[in-house]
Every structure is written in structure tokens, then in C-alpha cells.
Amino acid sequence: MISSVSLQSLWMSFAVIVVSEIGDKTFLIAAVMAMTNPRLVIFFAAISALGVMTVLSALFGHFLPNVLSKEYTQFAAAGLFIVFGFKMLWDGYHMDDTEGNDELEEVSAELIAKEKEGKDEADRERDDLMEAGGVTAAQKKDLATLDRLKSGAQNIANYFFSAVFIQTFVLTFLAEWGDRSQIATIALAGAEDFWWVTIGSLIGHALCSAVAVIGGRLLASKISVRTVTIVGAVIFIICGIYSFYVNYYKLNEE
């Protein structure tokens, strides 16, 4: 049977991830990539990147009490949540209602630019080859055949570490690095139960990634990022105050 401490770690990590990730850059990357690529590929790429980042963050937080005492770690985590909460509250208060749409368009433009850059590079390489030594008709035919084979191989490998998978994985991993949710996972893993924090965070990431690839663009254009940020700020502050209370109560009992 799951103890109350385990349940606390589970719901806190899950709630923090959900309010941090909905409408965030990693969410928007998955939403935009899923518009022109297989949703299953994008989902597994995104959740793989977020899963690796979650485990690394949780491990870092888990070993943090070896440097600081468990009590200091717990109070530091609670304080960090409150600071994050007020920072989000400030950002949300000064945020424009169209902030979500602007960020969505920005992510879309970045991804289109990266895709165009890749295609232009491939075209330049082919043009250089054609101009370099007077390519014969047989060689042109071989190039065309090679292109068809390459296209077929890419389609077959689409679900197994394709270029799209790798691109989504790298973009998501880099976007998550240093993000609120990563730091929150480190703080929670240091203060709460490591395994349940990891599980709760992974479930939260999986839910957000699923929502992103299924209807993320529509949701991102409809929801108010300002409202989500303010609600998230309140949850962060509540979690921080609750952690302070529980840790203070435990300390006095001892």
C-alpha cells in the first residue's frame, strides 16, 4: 500500500510538471512537429528526451543531501518553490494575453528555418557534385536511384530513430535544460521520495506530451498562457508553504 509520504511526492511532482509544461517551449515543439510528422514518433521522441532529463535531474536531487543535510535540502526546496511561485506570479501579472500565440509562432518559425537550412545544404551539395566533374547521364541516373532508396529508407526508419525523431529529441532536451520543471524536479527529489518524484514527473511529462501531439497547437492557440502561469504560480506557492509546514512540524517532533 502506498504511504502518505509517497502519495505526497507523487502528486506534488505530477502537479508541478503539468502546470510548468502546458504551453511551455517543449510543449510547443511537440505540438508544431506533430503537425507535419507522425504523432507517435514525435511523442516518443519528446517523452524520451524529457524522461532522460527527469531521471538525470532526480538523481542529482537525490544525491544532493549527501552535500547538504536532509533538513536543509527540504527547507531549500520549499523556499525555491515559493520563489518560483512569486516569480511566475509576477511574470503572469505582466504578461500579454497573446503571449501564447506569439511563442507558438516563434517556435514554428524556428523549426521551419531549421528544416529549410537542412534542405538548402543538401541541394548545395548536390549542385557542387553536378558541377564538379561533369556528371554523366549514368551518374545522374544513379543519383536519382540513390535519392529514391534514401527516401524509402527514411520512410521505413521513420519510427526507429529517424531524423525527425533525433531532431525532436535534441530540441526538446535542449529546451528543457535549465527549465523551471527541471529545477523543480531536482528540488523535489532532494526533499521528497526519489522514486515517487521520478514516477510523478514522468507521468506528468507523458500527459503533457500526449496532449501536445494530439491537439497541442489548437490548445496553445485557445488557452491563456497568462492564466496557466498564474495558476501554476499559486500551485508552486502552495507546495512551498505546505513543505515548509511539514518539514517544520517534523523537525519539532524530533
Side-chain angles (χ1 to χ4, degrees), residues 4-115:
S4 59
V5 174
S6 299
L7 281 174
Q8 174 184 308
S9 302
L10 181 68
W11 79 258
M12 280 181 68
S13 57
F14 174 80
V16 163
I17 292 300
V18 170
V19 298
S20 298
E21 290 298 312
I22 292 292
D24 196 29
K25 194 165 186 177
T26 53
F27 180 91
L28 297 177
I29 287 171
V32 173
M33 292 295 289
M35 291 177 59
T36 54
N37 298 286
R39 290 176 176 176
L40 201 57
V41 174
I42 303 304
F43 172 78
F44 280 116
I47 195 60
S48 297
L50 294 169
V52 170
M53 183 65 77
T54 296
V55 172
L56 291 175
S57 302
L59 283 171
F60 183 79
H62 181 61
F63 290 110
L64 196 60
N66 292 330
V67 180
L68 298 172
S69 70
K70 186 74 173 177
E71 290 78 13
Y72 282 124
T73 304
Q74 290 173 333
F75 280 113
L80 194 61
F81 269 77
I82 293 173
V83 170
F84 270 168
F86 280 108
K87 175 66 168 57
M88 290 171 67
L89 205 59
W90 175 268
D91 291 342
Y93 180 77
H94 294 280
M95 193 177 286
D96 196 327
D97 287 332
T98 61
E99 187 95 12
N101 291 331
D102 293 342
E103 190 168 356
L104 179 63
E105 295 306 321
E106 181 184 339
V107 171
S108 299
E110 285 179 11
L111 293 176
I112 291 170
K114 286 181 183 294
E115 186 177 354

Side-chain angles (χ1 to χ4, degrees), residues 125-246:
E125 288 178 2
R126 179 179 296 177
D127 291 342
D128 290 343
L129 180 61
M130 298 284 276
E131 293 173 2
V135 180
T136 64
Q139 288 174 321
K140 289 180 181 178
K141 186 177 179 181
D142 289 340
L143 283 173
T145 303
L146 186 61
D147 281 343
R148 285 196 296 272
L149 289 173
K150 183 181 176 182
S151 177
Q154 285 178 339
N155 289 334
I156 293 171
N158 200 33
Y159 288 90
F160 303 98
F161 300 101
S162 63
V164 172
F165 183 100
I166 295 170
Q167 181 186 12
T168 306
F169 182 97
V170 171
L171 288 172
T172 304
F173 189 87
L174 293 177
E176 183 67 8
W177 189 267
D179 193 49
R180 275 195 309 263
S181 56
Q182 184 201 17
I183 299 172
T185 301
I186 293 173
L188 275 174
E192 304 291 335
D193 185 281
F194 166 76
W195 291 108
W196 289 106
V197 166
T198 304
I199 292 170
S201 298
L202 289 173
I203 294 172
H205 280 305
L207 176 63
C208 292
S209 297
V211 171
V213 299
I214 292 170
R217 188 178 181 92
L218 177 63
L219 181 63
S221 63
K222 296 296 182 184
I223 63 172
S224 168
V225 175
R226 183 172 184 267
T227 302
V228 172
T229 302
I230 292 173
V231 171
V234 172
I235 291 177
F236 265 76
I237 292 169
I238 290 172
C239 286
I241 293 172
Y242 177 75
S243 294
F244 256 122
Y245 172 77
V246 171

